[in-house]
Amino acid sequence: MKIVVIGGTGLIGSKTVERLRKRGHEVIAASPNSGVNTITGEGLAEALSGAEVVLDLANSPSFEDKAVLEFFETSGHNLLAAEKLAGVKHHIALSVVGTERLQESGYFRGKLAQEKLIKASGIPYTIVHSTQFMEFLAGIVQSGTVGQTVRLSPAYIQPIVSDDVADVMADVALASPANATIEISGPERARLSELVARYLKAMKDPRSVEADAEAIYFGARLNDQSLVSDNDPRLGSITFEQWFAKSAQPK
């Protein structure tokens, strides 16, 4: 069948496209660079013509509160309207575990707005809530760095590797719509500050980590339930050590 992957050239999108093509499906990797723009609407009708399934894996280019909300609202509205006209039978979106719990954050307010549009659209859907990506650890480090110290919450985190996320997204694309939210998570739970300290040590990075329960995580304060799933998630198989050994060696 024909499947359109919005954000099909990104970290998760490119891996999902590869998996679906290997299973014999016609897959369009849609992005502004390929002439498909969910903000302006350019190329949407053509890309979606004849498509049965759409995966929305695009992310906002800006994390600024107003910009991220506008991105997810505008993109979601344009994409869902075009899907209705094209007769798409299954809309799938990748979102974040804890979105509804982290509404202090402009980014998570944007994601929640996106999810509400999907649920109200009338199109059969599946929303996949994922824990943070292992590949995002470097960004988390930068977000908490002041000088040579990285100030981070000691709240629990259970990060998942992008390969495991892509496996799930491909499986969901070929399954019936759940008309619900499902959750995926990494195989190991650790405290954010401790995991980042392990990451920095492995990277031979001289920065030190300071655990601070009041540290802000992309606009929100965390507790031990914020970033983890207790909702019987599907677990990835790749551990931090396995991921690091394969993908994140120091330069």
Side-chain angles (χ1 to χ4, degrees), residues 1 7 10 13 34 53 76 108 119 136 150-151 174 190 193 205 234-235 241-242 244:
M1 62 181 165
S34 70
V53 177
F108 290 104
K119 292 173 182 177
F136 198 40
V150 186
R151 217 170 125 257
L174 303 180
S193 51
D205 189 311
R234 171 170 164 175
L235 296 180
E241 281 77 15
Q242 290 169 331
F244 190 88

Side-chain angles (χ1 to χ4, degrees), residues 4-9 17 28-32 34 36 47:
V4 177
V5 180
I6 304 296
T9 58
V17 166
I28 305 297
S31 69
S34 70
V36 182

Side-chain angles (χ1 to χ4, degrees), residues 36-52:
V36 182
N37 191 316
T38 57
I39 297 299
T40 66
E42 175 195 2
L44 267 181
E46 294 82 358
L48 295 180
S49 178
E52 292 185 48

Side-chain angles (χ1 to χ4, degrees), residues 36 55 75 89 108 130 133 151 176 179 192:
V36 182
L55 291 93
S75 176
K89 296 179 175 63
F108 290 104
S130 172
F133 305 150
R151 217 170 125 257
S176 299
N179 291 314
L192 175 60

Side-chain angles (χ1 to χ4, degrees), residues 60 62-72 103-110 218-219:
S60 172
S62 169
F63 276 35
E64 189 274 324
D65 285 5
K66 186 169 182 286
V68 76
L69 182 62
E70 287 180 352
F71 174 85
F72 284 120
Q103 290 297 294
E104 291 174 84
S105 163
Y107 181 80
F108 290 104
R109 289 196 295 273
F218 297 98

Side-chain angles (χ1 to χ4, degrees), residues 28-167:
I28 305 297
S31 69
N33 288 339
S34 70
V36 182
N37 191 316
T38 57
I39 297 299
T40 66
E42 175 195 2
L44 267 181
E46 294 82 358
L48 295 180
S49 178
E52 292 185 48
V53 177
V54 173
L55 291 93
D56 186 0
L57 306 181
N59 205 0
S60 172
S62 169
F63 276 35
E64 189 274 324
D65 285 5
K66 186 169 182 286
V68 76
L69 182 62
E70 287 180 352
F71 174 85
F72 284 120
E73 287 187 332
T74 303
S75 176
H77 180 271
N78 289 342
L79 180 57
L80 291 162
E83 286 179 31
K84 275 189 177 179
L85 290 174
V88 169
K89 296 179 175 63
H90 190 185
H91 177 94
I92 302 157
L94 180 60
S95 193
V96 189
V97 163
T99 288
E100 68 288 350
R101 299 190 287 268
L102 294 167
Q103 290 297 294
E104 291 174 84
S105 163
Y107 181 80
F108 290 104
R109 289 196 295 273
K111 292 301 290 184
L112 189 62
Q114 177 193 33
E115 292 181 25
K116 287 179 177 177
L117 285 171
I118 293 166
K119 292 173 182 177
S121 70
I123 299 170
Y125 72 91
T126 305
I127 295 171
V128 178
H129 269 191
S130 172
T131 53
Q132 304 300 307
F133 305 150
M134 205 80 77
E135 290 84 353
F136 198 40
L137 281 174
I140 292 172
V141 169
Q142 289 306 118
S143 75
T145 295
V146 178
Q148 288 298 298
T149 302
V150 186
R151 217 170 125 257
L152 291 171
S153 168
Y156 281 116
I157 188 171
Q158 198 162 338
I160 187 169
V161 173
S162 60
D163 281 323
D164 283 336
V165 178
D167 286 341

